[in-house]
Amino acid sequence: MSFLTLDLNLLRVFDAIMTEQNLTRASNLLAMTQPAVSNALKRLRDTLGDELVIRTAHGVRPTSRAEELWPTVRKALSELEAAITPESFDVSKAQTTFRMAMVDATAALWLPSLIRSIMTDAPKMKVRMMPLTTRDPRSMLLRGDIDLAIGFFPGVTAQLADGQGMVKSQISHERLYTGQYVCVMHKNHPLAKQELTLDTYCAADHLLVSLSGKPHAVIDDVLTSLNRERRILLTVNQFFTAGRVVASSDLITVLPRHLIAATGMTDALIVKELPFQTPDEHVDMLWHERDARNPAHKWLRAHLIATTHDQFGRINTKQYGNNERI
């Protein structure tokens, strides 16, 4: 294959298919007929000598060659779009599909405002939520599986701050919010009306929210440094589930303060300050450099930053006592 003979329009079709993982949706995104998309895919397959995608019951699944190729194609298309039309971006006409990864509680806080703005200002945009099961989503961003991740990624941001190798050149980030961990229990818990000490905290039965399912968290590192430990009776991977369980049992849990409302159980819960110091919980936004200049992606990041300042500024100014209803 010679690059000089490659029809670059085929790369736009390839990008749409990889974004949508479905030929019908890709054709809608490109304003083409499905036969035309299928024909373009066949031409690209013949040119590259690879199937690129394999049909499944729900759409298509990319081959390893397609997954390897897509980040480079997407970056090139984004840079071309930004260079050719730097001042002509019209959010009302943008037909981007954003794939975002965040935990359930974070999504519950950010998405309502984003969807309202999309329906009002960007009616052709779409959002697809992807599961976040790790504190290190770099591989998802590098592969092009997602366009943006929001969450607590301490290891990643530490490396970004230090400028370590490939990470510095390909992954960008911005801090959205800094919060604190607090202890949460139901309002009639035996510890609700007494001081929460290190002894009573460690003696209680605990629920842990763990994205990966591993029964260990930053709180356990702190307790280990104090030569203490806790009994984790239940591990879940959703904050909503955590709220439901804690509201109806004698388990206690530790949550970032700003995510408590997203459990939907605030009327049944109280919050207590932890009887030991913990690191702050930083909420960061991560994206790949290939999307840095993409005008739609810039619009998305700007919206999330504005939402953070509006919504979480109120959380920062709200004070809770040592034994107070949420």
Side-chain angles (χ1 to χ4, degrees):
M1 179 200 76
S2 170
F3 181 76
L4 294 177
T5 62
L6 176 65
D7 183 350
L8 297 184
N9 284 321
L10 301 181
L11 298 182
R12 291 183 59 248
V13 174
F14 172 70
D15 179 57
I17 293 172
M18 292 294 289
T19 298
E20 296 296 333
Q21 306 280 292
N22 183 284
L23 295 185
T24 300
R25 291 198 298 266
S27 65
N28 291 336
L29 182 64
L30 294 165
M32 297 171 60
T33 65
Q34 185 169 337
V37 169
S38 297
N39 181 60
L41 176 60
K42 180 181 183 302
R43 291 172 58 200
L44 189 59
R45 282 169 164 167
D46 293 341
T47 300
L48 298 179
D50 189 273
E51 282 297 297
L52 297 177
V53 295
I54 300 168
R55 289 187 180 274
T56 69
H58 303 290
V60 294
R61 174 173 56 83
T63 65
S64 57
R65 172 64 173 145
E67 290 182 339
E68 176 186 319
L69 182 63
W70 189 34
T72 301
V73 170
R74 197 149 201 263
K75 180 180 180 181
L77 291 175
S78 296
E79 289 180 350
L80 279 172
E81 181 180 8
I84 293 171
T85 57
E87 303 298 332
S88 63
F89 176 67
D90 184 348
V91 68
S92 68
K93 298 178 181 178
Q95 298 188 39
T96 302
T97 297
F98 292 121
R99 291 153 306 135
M100 303 167 63
M102 59 189 84
V103 298
D104 62 316
T106 303
L109 291 174
W110 262 279
L111 288 184
S113 174
L114 175 61
I115 295 306
R116 284 194 298 270
S117 291
I118 286 177
M119 295 179 71
T120 302
D121 303 323
K124 296 184 179 181
M125 282 187 183
K126 294 185 288 186
V127 175
R128 183 185 304 166
M129 296 305 301
M130 311 296 286
L132 180 64
T133 59
T134 176
R135 293 293 184 192
D136 186 352
R138 283 175 293 184
S139 61
M140 301 171 72
L141 290 163
L142 291 169
R143 288 194 308 266
D145 294 341
I146 59 173
D147 303 305
L148 187 139
I150 294 178
F152 178 46
F153 311 121
V156 178
T157 53
Q159 289 190 15
L160 288 169
D162 292 340
Q164 295 185 16
M166 174 183 73
V167 175
K168 180 65 176 177
S169 63
Q170 296 193 45
I171 304 297
S172 297
H173 79 114
E174 183 158 350
R175 181 140 299 162
L176 294 176
Y177 175 77
T178 296
Q180 298 78 41
Y181 289 107
V182 291
C183 183
V184 179
M185 64 190 71
H186 75 77
K187 61 184 180 181
N188 296 317
H189 192 281
L191 295 178
K193 294 189 173 8
Q194 60 179 279
E195 180 184 1
L196 185 65
T197 66
L198 182 58
D199 287 338
T200 57
Y201 176 84
C202 291
D205 290 324
H206 293 258
L207 177 149
L208 169 66
V209 181
S210 170
L211 301 187
S212 66
K214 296 179 180 178
H216 189 89
V218 63
I219 300 301
D220 300 290
D221 293 331
V222 174
L223 291 175
T224 297
S225 71
L226 299 173
N227 295 316
R228 305 298 292 268
E229 61 181 4
R230 58 178 176 166
R231 177 175 182 255
I232 299 174
L233 191 152
L234 175 64
T235 300
V236 301
N237 65 357
Q238 293 183 330
F239 287 89
F240 177 78
T241 301
R244 299 285 295 187
V245 172
V246 170
S248 59
S249 72
D250 279 345
L251 298 183
I252 67 174
T253 192
V254 172
L255 299 177
R257 190 191 297 275
H258 71 277
L259 293 185
I260 298 172
T263 67
M265 300 301 296
T266 54
D267 290 343
L269 301 173
I270 66 166
V271 62
K272 284 177 170 282
E273 302 298 331
L274 288 163
F276 44 81
Q277 292 294 117
T278 62
D280 287 337
E281 201 250 4
H282 302 297
V283 178
D284 288 282
M285 176 169 59
L286 305 180
W287 66 95
H288 196 285
E289 268 298 304
R290 63 175 166 264
D291 293 317
R293 297 177 58 192
N294 181 293
H297 203 282
K298 289 170 68 174
W299 177 87
L300 172 65
R301 299 196 306 268
H303 182 279
L304 293 171
I305 291 168
T307 298
T308 302
H309 291 166
D310 176 52
Q311 183 165 327
F312 293 91
R314 294 194 297 270
I315 294 176
N316 271 330
T317 60
K318 185 172 182 179
Q319 302 298 315
Y320 294 86
N322 188 51
N323 180 22
E324 189 171 328
R325 289 285 296 280
I326 298 169

